[in-house]
Amino acid sequence: MKKASKNSGFDTTAIDRSVRPQDDFYTYSNGTWLKKTKIPENESRWGSFIMLRVDTEKKLRRIVERVKKGRYPAGTPEQMIRDFYVSGLDEKTREKLGTKPLLPWLTRVQKLKHVSEITPLIAAMHRVGIGGLWGGLIDQDAKNSEHYLLYFYQDGIGMPDRDYYLKDDAESKRVKEAYVKHMHNLHKLFGISAKETKESVETVMRMETALAKASMTKEDARDSEKIWHKHSIAQLQKLAPSIDWKRYMKDSGAPQERTVNVMQPDYMRAMSKMLASVPLADWKVYLRWQLMDDTAGLLSKKFVREQFNYYGKALSGNKKMKPLWRRALGATNGSLGELLGQIYVKEHFPAEAKIKMSALVDDLFAAYEKRIASLDWMTGPTKKKAVQKLRMMNRKIGYPDKWKGYRGLSVRADDFFGNIMRSAEFEHRRQIKKLGKPIDRTEWLMDPQVVNAYCSFNMNEIVFPAAILQPPFFSLHGDDAVNYGGIGSVIGHEITHGFDDQGAKFDGKGNMKSWWTAEDKKRFTAKAKILKEQFDKYEVADGVKVNGQLTLGENIADLGGASIAFDALMMHLARSGSRKDIEGFTPEQRFFFGLSLFEREITRPEAEKTRALTDPHSPSKFRVNGPASNLPEFYAAFGVARGDKLYREPKQRAKIW
Ligand SMILES: [Zn+2]
């Protein structure tokens, strides 16, 4: 990382000259690094992104360690940060407590006398962030973005995707076996007899498999239209009569709400039928498992280790657990994100970064508008609306203007379990309170110390937290070509989400409303299909392939983002007259180095396979070679010709934005 920033972001030491850029640009530009680098034992992936995340964690560690040394009045931000972190480090108390923090919950499950008592129990679990059967969230009403709406989604299974329960290929079997083993181990750690464990594990697997069958596929679950089913509470009561929904709403703190979007009605119906037919004894076993698995990571060492064995090792291939300080920091960060974030940006986010970033974003928007105007496949009326949406898109850079408050949250240095529960409940109340209030347009859905970015369809905005605005993605005084290839492509990527296969369904005001002519929609779908089919062919590992439908939105965003960022660089170079070659590479070529550097990563096969099945992002290599193989700008920069591995016949290239 240091070398890259000294090198103004342009790093030729990673090049592998035994690979031709025209055949595999990702490996050409990163190959030496890829060969030399080993994934640290406590990571499942290693590369630009993760290294920046780890680097940010180190900065945050310095903050919490400094705060830790002080003593502060109760309820102050410093007291909360300090005591949360200290409680995370305090393994001694956790050893002493064993399973005690969870006992009241387990007793409550044991004492259930009737299926109807499941409703208040589930409501109580959801309030403190423990999953079970379904989940709830507050977001803007997708068709009326001026209002908040409650959404219910399917959440009945323990493995990362329904396919693991229903499919029989080698990878599904491997994960299933690991999950069953994990269930056995955890039951044993909770002191449950071998006989009871065996029966319980079978029961949970049977019930979760039934819930998996009723669950919507992940491809459908990311389709905004397929998850849009507004219900009145009365309609929901008819759909899923085994739950007392009025009671659930009251217990959740929203007795006044009359409507909710049920994202997967078929799932809710099936779950309700199961509640009516499966004996209470089985539900007790199922709920006990949810509680144990969701909270074991907050208990003593042996429980934490078991959670690591399944989630860290089996699912992600990590060899070693993260050190205690990183886990304690992660918990503090997760619960007090904007408190820690305030200190982080004061110390690590220079004002110039925001200014330079704003200029970059301006360039990207200007380039986008030009692109839309010159699209050969879109009709005039739709173009006009696309530009309208683009101009209405809001941007947030660095950190929020208005910080979230944490007043009233009780944080104790000796109560890690309680801190997590109270914080989850505090956030639950914060969310529920939004219902009926005007939309808070200052809100951020990501903390400033998170190395990531996002696009919100309903808000029609793009958001770039401070932590992603650092080398190697963005260097204040670095090579502009690399900056436009790196952070520029990220900006273009996020803008394009507003125009990807899902984002394009939302208008400038953030409402799900068709603004396309039928003809344009047909052409857009056909163009997206080319990209889907290209990605379906890419192989990840051991026969596991990329899922072109699941990754379609991200791939459209990658392709559009790179195209627009490239245009923006050309505009910038023309304006500034700063075109020059560095180490024999043109700015056009360095742009693609920037793009590739952003994606540079090695991943353990376990994580690669889990992610191929669950992550809407394609693996790094294809996020570089995929767009490159479609971009005439790449062909021109590196002289790609027929016969080269990345070459595609013009007709087979995808060009959307
Ligand atoms: Zn994305």
Side-chain angles (χ1 to χ4, degrees):
M1 198 86 35
K2 264 188 197 120
K3 191 171 223 167
S5 54
K6 227 187 269 164
N7 252 344
S8 30
F10 181 54
D11 172 15
T12 52
T13 61
I15 296 179
D16 179 353
R17 294 187 195 266
S18 71
V19 179
R20 296 177 63 243
Q22 300 86 350
D23 287 338
D24 176 356
F25 184 71
Y26 176 79
T27 310
Y28 163 77
S29 53
N30 295 315
T32 299
W33 184 91
L34 294 170
K35 268 191 244 165
K36 272 199 323 214
T37 308
K38 284 213 165 56
I39 306 177
E41 291 196 309
N42 53 25
E43 301 290 345
S44 60
R45 351 167 6 198
W46 196 243
S48 304
F49 230 83
I50 302 297
M51 283 157 79
L52 193 50
R53 281 188 184 159
V54 170
D55 190 55
T56 306
E57 276 183 36
K58 284 181 188 152
K59 289 177 181 153
L60 291 168
R61 184 190 193 184
R62 285 199 288 275
I63 294 172
V64 290
E65 289 288 346
R66 191 180 66 220
V67 172
K68 186 175 151 234
K69 290 190 187 114
R71 290 285 177 280
Y72 316 93
T76 55
E78 290 82 1
Q79 178 268 325
M80 288 190 210
I81 293 173
R82 179 194 179 272
D83 288 351
F84 215 113
Y85 184 58
V86 167
S87 77
L89 295 174
D90 178 13
E91 284 186 311
K92 227 164 131 190
T93 303
R94 291 209 283 284
E95 289 309 314
K96 221 165 53 198
L97 290 170
T99 59
K100 217 171 153 193
L102 192 59
L103 287 185
W105 287 95
L106 296 176
T107 309
R108 196 166 163 186
V109 172
Q110 236 167 34
K111 284 189 174 159
L112 288 173
K113 291 214 164 49
H114 192 267
V115 176
S116 66
E117 291 168 6
I118 289 179
T119 299
L121 173 59
I122 290 275
M125 284 163 62
H126 289 174
R127 278 201 307 271
V128 294
I130 299 173
L133 292 177
W134 73 92
L137 61 89
I138 314 282
D139 199 351
Q140 282 159 284
D141 182 327
K143 291 202 172 177
N144 182 359
S145 64
E146 292 302 314
H147 294 277
Y148 285 114
L149 179 67
L150 181 58
Y151 289 72
F152 287 152
Y153 56 88
Q154 62 191 22
D155 188 24
I157 58 177
M159 284 191 276
D161 190 67
R162 73 196 283 278
D163 281 0
Y164 291 113
Y165 294 86
L166 309 176
K167 285 195 174 161
D168 229 15
D169 55 280
E171 177 62 6
S172 300
K173 272 193 202 153
R174 183 187 75 81
V175 171
K176 209 180 310 173
E177 273 164 27
Y179 185 53
V180 167
K181 189 172 157 223
H182 168 55
M183 283 200 270
H184 273 277
N185 293 345
L186 206 53
H187 277 78
K188 194 175 161 198
L189 288 178
F190 271 92
I192 298 162
S193 75
K195 185 173 169 285
E196 195 189 336
T197 293
K198 192 171 170 286
E199 290 165 5
S200 298
V201 170
E202 281 167 15
T203 301
V204 173
M205 269 314 262
R206 193 172 58 241
M207 291 174 76
E208 288 194 358
T209 304
L211 291 166
K213 272 187 196 142
S215 296
M216 188 182 262
T217 65
K218 57 190 172 294
E219 293 86 352
D220 283 350
R222 64 169 285 279
D223 186 327
S224 324
E225 281 156 337
K226 288 184 179 155
I227 51 170
W228 181 251
H229 309 276
K230 224 176 187 179
H231 282 63
S232 68
I233 298 300
Q235 284 169 326
L236 175 58
Q237 193 60 52
K238 264 194 207 136
L239 175 78
S242 302
I243 299 287
D244 178 353
W245 291 102
K246 267 195 183 150
R247 173 76 199 263
Y248 178 81
M249 297 297 282
K250 183 173 158 267
D251 286 0
S252 301
Q256 77 292 349
E257 264 327 270
R258 293 286 168 265
T259 44
V260 43
N261 181 38
V262 181
M263 295 164 82
Q264 292 91 12
D266 291 345
Y267 170 85
M268 289 301 219
R269 193 182 297 116
M271 175 195 80
S272 176
K273 277 193 185 144
M274 271 176 74
L275 278 162
S277 60
V278 174
L280 179 64
D282 289 1
W283 285 109
K284 289 187 181 183
V285 168
Y286 171 86
L287 290 165
R288 177 175 69 183
W289 169 246
Q290 302 297 320
L291 284 161
M292 294 192 306
D293 194 36
D294 257 24
T295 60
L298 310 175
L299 303 175
S300 61
K301 268 188 205 155
K302 56 184 183 184
F303 291 94
V304 175
R305 176 146 297 281
E306 176 51 35
Q307 293 312 92
F308 169 75
N309 283 340
Y310 174 63
Y311 291 100
K313 255 190 196 163
L315 290 184
S316 306
N318 293 35
K319 306 289 177 227
K320 260 193 189 161
M321 221 191 286
K322 293 196 175 19
L324 185 61
W325 73 263
R326 277 181 74 184
R327 287 181 271 139
L329 174 67
T332 311
N333 218 358
S335 293
L336 303 172
E338 288 203 7
L339 280 190
L340 209 48
Q342 280 181 63
I343 307 178
Y344 172 82
V345 297
K346 244 184 240 155
E347 295 179 14
H348 298 287
F349 187 61
E352 309 102 272
K354 193 162 177 162
I355 295 165
K356 178 149 184 184
M357 183 68 183
S358 297
L360 252 149
V361 174
D362 284 340
D363 276 357
L364 264 292
F365 271 101
Y368 228 119
E369 206 167 315
K370 259 195 176 162
R371 270 259 167 178
I372 292 173
S374 66
L375 287 178
D376 56 3
W377 59 272
M378 191 180 254
T379 61
T382 308
K383 274 186 187 173
K384 217 171 128 190
K385 289 195 175 129
V387 169
Q388 219 172 38
K389 172 167 177 169
L390 186 71
R391 287 185 183 164
M392 285 170 85
M393 197 178 267
N394 183 37
R395 57 183 92 168
K396 289 175 177 168
I397 298 167
Y399 54 90
D401 294 332
K402 201 179 86 194
W403 295 95
K404 277 179 189 142
Y406 295 81
R407 194 188 300 252
L409 172 63
S410 152
V411 179
R412 285 170 38 189
D414 62 350
D415 186 14
F416 184 57
F417 190 95
N419 287 342
I420 296 281
M421 296 287 133
R422 283 189 298 273
S423 149
E425 196 160 15
F426 188 85
E427 291 305 327
H428 171 87
R429 277 201 302 273
R430 194 203 296 281
Q431 292 298 320
I432 281 288
K433 269 194 229 151
K434 288 182 184 170
L435 290 168
K437 294 233 177 77
I439 300 295
D440 177 6
R441 298 200 176 267
T442 66
E443 188 187 18
W444 281 54
L445 304 182
M446 223 174 242
D447 296 327
Q449 67 275 34
V450 172
V451 182
N452 212 337
Y454 72 90
C455 167
S456 159
F457 302 157
N458 286 133
M459 211 65 108
N460 191 21
E461 70 178 7
I462 47 173
V463 185
F464 305 96
I468 200 173
L469 309 177
Q470 297 185 67
F473 305 152
F474 173 70
S475 320
L476 252 183
H477 309 288
D479 176 23
D480 283 330
V482 175
N483 272 341
Y484 278 80
I487 202 72
S489 298
V490 178
I491 302 165
H493 173 107
E494 297 307 336
I495 300 176
T496 308
H497 270 315
F499 300 91
D500 72 13
D501 64 322
Q502 298 309 316
K505 293 173 181 171
F506 293 77
D507 68 10
K509 288 190 174 134
N511 290 315
M512 188 162 60
K513 193 174 157 190
S514 180
W515 48 273
W516 297 64
T517 65
E519 193 187 335
D520 287 321
K521 198 162 184 197
K522 220 172 101 192
R523 285 197 200 140
F524 176 77
T525 310
K527 284 182 165 291
K529 198 168 160 246
I530 297 178
L531 204 57
K532 178 199 170 295
E533 284 165 359
Q534 285 181 4
F535 277 78
D536 274 334
K537 292 200 181 86
Y538 289 134
E539 186 173 322
V540 179
D542 306 334
V544 174
K545 292 223 168 121
V546 174
N547 181 335
Q549 189 59 40
L550 177 67
T551 56
L552 183 58
E554 294 301 331
N555 296 333
I556 292 177
D558 281 341
L559 180 60
S563 319
I564 276 72
F566 189 90
D567 287 0
L569 172 64
M570 293 305 111
M571 285 166 55
H572 171 76
L573 290 179
R575 194 178 53 221
S576 64
S578 61
R579 156 179 291 280
K580 63 170 190 281
D581 287 1
I582 299 179
E583 295 188 50
F585 290 96
T586 65
E588 287 83 356
Q589 291 173 326
R590 298 198 309 276
F591 171 89
F592 287 100
F593 276 98
L595 182 75
S596 193
L597 172 62
F598 186 81
E599 292 297 340
R600 178 187 292 174
E601 180 174 295
I602 35 178
T603 310
R604 294 192 193 279
E606 291 87 346
E608 249 180 348
K609 286 184 276 186
T610 311
R611 286 175 62 202
L613 289 165
T614 56
D615 189 342
H617 301 87
S618 302
S620 306
K621 182 175 176 177
F622 308 127
R623 293 189 71 177
V624 173
N625 286 349
S629 72
N630 285 302
L631 290 173
E633 294 84 352
F634 176 74
Y635 284 58
F638 288 94
V640 181
R642 194 167 283 143
D644 295 335
K645 289 207 178 94
L646 288 177
Y647 181 85
R648 292 184 198 275
E649 290 298 333
K651 264 200 180 142
Q652 287 159 0
R653 290 178 207 162
K655 177 183 179 278
I656 304 177
W657 294 104

